[in-house]
Amino acid sequence: MCRQLGIEVPVVQAPIGSAATPELAAAVAEAGGLGTLALTWVSAPEAVRRIRQVRRLTSRPFAVNLVLDFPVEELVEVCLAEGVPVISTFWGDPSAVSARVRPAGAVHLHTVGSVAEAECAVAAGVDVIVAQGCEAGGHVRGEVSTMALVPAVVDAVHPVPVIAAGGIADGRGLAAVLALGAQAGWLGTRFLTACEAATHEVYRQAVIGAVSQDAVHTRCFDGGWPDAPHRALRNSTLSAWEAAGRPTAPDRPGEGAVVARSADGRAWARYQDMVPVPGMSGDLEALALYAGQSAGLVHDIAPAGRIVADIATRAAALMGRAPVNSASP
Ligand SMILES: Cc1cc2nc3c(=O)[nH]c(=O)nc-3n(C[C@H](O)[C@H](O)[C@H](O)COP(=O)(O)O)c2cc1C
């Protein structure tokens, strides 16, 4: 699968929403992994700008992620027109995208949370399945853990390659999912504290300070993306909502209150689907702090290239192999 994607090490920087910058995707690509932009919520011109920015920073392959619960047809066309080599999709039926991506010669990855969903994706023509365990950060598709889901999906879709997502933060996790039959690891939470990620210091320190139990599976932060379970760090918003008995909108504590503003003045209300990014001001701790159980394994802020190299080197050593990445120390 690495050959198919044109990468050297089986490490994928997951799409992590607004935190996924061109600089992050390019740094991961330069280290031999697959970097990903998350472009669902940007305009077509902004998507073009970010894709070209990655290209300016690296000549290596990278991916663009689109969430199918939103209207992304125009963005698919933009990606294909720009020659994006890998398109990743999540949350929905991938058939329409697959029908466009395959003739264009790009590789189509689709994230699933169950064996049934994986089988549907393969029938739809998807090239690579991303099996996301429920310990993952951000929006969580299924109810099964990575350890149980990955081998079941590998068996069900063989010979279609599978990437494992959820709970992987270091070389031990990568070696483990490779042993389960996955061909790469897909890491989101680990890259939240990469130097190149667009994560505010408040968010980074929350991830670094968290233990795994702090990453709660919930429906609390539903503003902008309703009916989509997700995993986020326990914070003042989540605690107050739980203490109130988890009431439904609009009867939640502090409903509608503006808790933070972007540098351009854009207001963000409590319960909105937005993480703290650089330049924001306000009560940033109260925003959605999406992160997975692997937050308990993230202890530092580091350049993305070093994160990739460390994971690849450690996994290779555990598996009794020399690292295949020329960029590794
Ligand atoms: C802050 C954040 C934002 C995310 N945004 C997206 C997204 O836009 N598209 C997507 O397919 N997955 C998204 N995810 C899920 C990741 O792609 C991935 O499945 C997950 O992070 C893997 O689990 P881990 O966090 O334990 O590494 C997001 C995850 C996080 C933590």
Side-chain angles (χ1 to χ4, degrees), residues 40-149:
T40 306
W41 301 277
V42 306
S43 66
E46 176 62 13
V48 170
R49 194 192 67 75
R50 293 190 195 184
I51 290 166
R52 292 184 182 173
Q53 176 66 2
V54 177
R55 283 248 161 74
R56 268 192 288 278
L57 296 169
T58 183
S59 57
R60 298 192 183 213
F62 63 98
V64 168
N65 171 264
L66 299 168
V67 176
L68 303 177
D69 226 10
F70 297 85
V72 293
E73 294 77 13
E74 187 186 6
L75 291 167
V76 172
E77 293 312 317
V78 161
C79 290
L80 297 179
E82 289 293 312
V84 171
V86 181
I87 307 285
S88 124
T89 55
F90 189 28
W91 219 276
D93 178 1
S95 337
V97 174
S98 184
R100 312 213 63 117
V101 168
R102 287 200 122 192
V107 181
H108 185 185
L109 280 47
H110 184 68
T111 300
V112 304
S114 68
V115 167
E117 216 190 342
E119 288 171 337
C120 288
V122 169
V126 168
D127 299 300
V128 178
I129 299 297
V130 182
Q132 187 205 45
C134 62
E135 56 270 70
H139 287 81
V140 176
R141 190 67 182 158
E143 290 159 7
V144 182
S145 67
T146 301
M147 180 73 106
L149 180 68

Side-chain angles (χ1 to χ4, degrees), residues 50-312:
R50 293 190 195 184
I51 290 166
R52 292 184 182 173
Q53 176 66 2
V54 177
R55 283 248 161 74
R56 268 192 288 278
L57 296 169
T58 183
S59 57
R60 298 192 183 213
F62 63 98
V64 168
N65 171 264
L66 299 168
V67 176
L68 303 177
D69 226 10
F70 297 85
V72 293
E73 294 77 13
E74 187 186 6
L75 291 167
V76 172
E77 293 312 317
V78 161
C79 290
L80 297 179
E82 289 293 312
V84 171
V86 181
I87 307 285
S88 124
T89 55
F90 189 28
W91 219 276
D93 178 1
S95 337
V97 174
S98 184
R100 312 213 63 117
V101 168
R102 287 200 122 192
V107 181
H108 185 185
L109 280 47
H110 184 68
T111 300
V112 304
S114 68
V115 167
E117 216 190 342
E119 288 171 337
C120 288
V122 169
V126 168
D127 299 300
V128 178
I129 299 297
V130 182
Q132 187 205 45
C134 62
E135 56 270 70
H139 287 81
V140 176
R141 190 67 182 158
E143 290 159 7
V144 182
S145 67
T146 301
M147 180 73 106
L149 180 68
V150 169
V153 170
V154 167
D155 289 347
V157 304
H158 179 81
V160 173
V162 175
I163 300 175
I168 309 162
D170 56 29
R172 297 169 296 182
L174 176 59
V177 297
L178 295 177
L180 295 177
Q183 299 204 17
W186 175 282
L187 296 82
T189 297
R190 171 64 272 212
F191 284 104
L192 291 174
T193 64
C195 299
E196 299 86 348
T199 39
H200 193 282
E201 193 60 22
V202 166
Y203 188 15
R204 292 178 174 194
Q205 292 306 327
V207 172
I208 288 171
V211 294
S212 296
Q213 298 91 303
D214 294 328
V216 183
H217 189 262
T218 181
R219 290 172 180 263
C220 180
F221 298 97
D222 67 352
W225 190 355
D227 301 321
H230 42 267
R231 194 175 288 281
L233 298 180
R234 181 175 301 287
N235 65 354
S236 54
T237 300
L238 189 45
S239 294
W241 176 64
E242 288 184 344
R246 299 189 177 89
T248 51
D251 301 319
R252 302 177 291 188
E255 186 87 48
V258 170
V259 292
R261 287 187 188 274
S262 299
D264 64 4
R266 190 162 169 199
W268 297 102
R270 199 178 293 279
Y271 303 109
Q272 251 177 302
D273 169 31
M274 184 61 189
V275 297
V277 300
M280 272 186 176
S281 56
D283 185 6
L284 304 187
E285 180 275 344
L287 291 176
L289 304 175
Y290 294 126
Q293 293 179 345
S294 64
L297 298 169
V298 176
H299 307 302
D300 64 348
I301 295 167
R306 197 166 85 211
I307 293 174
V308 173
D310 286 352
I311 292 170

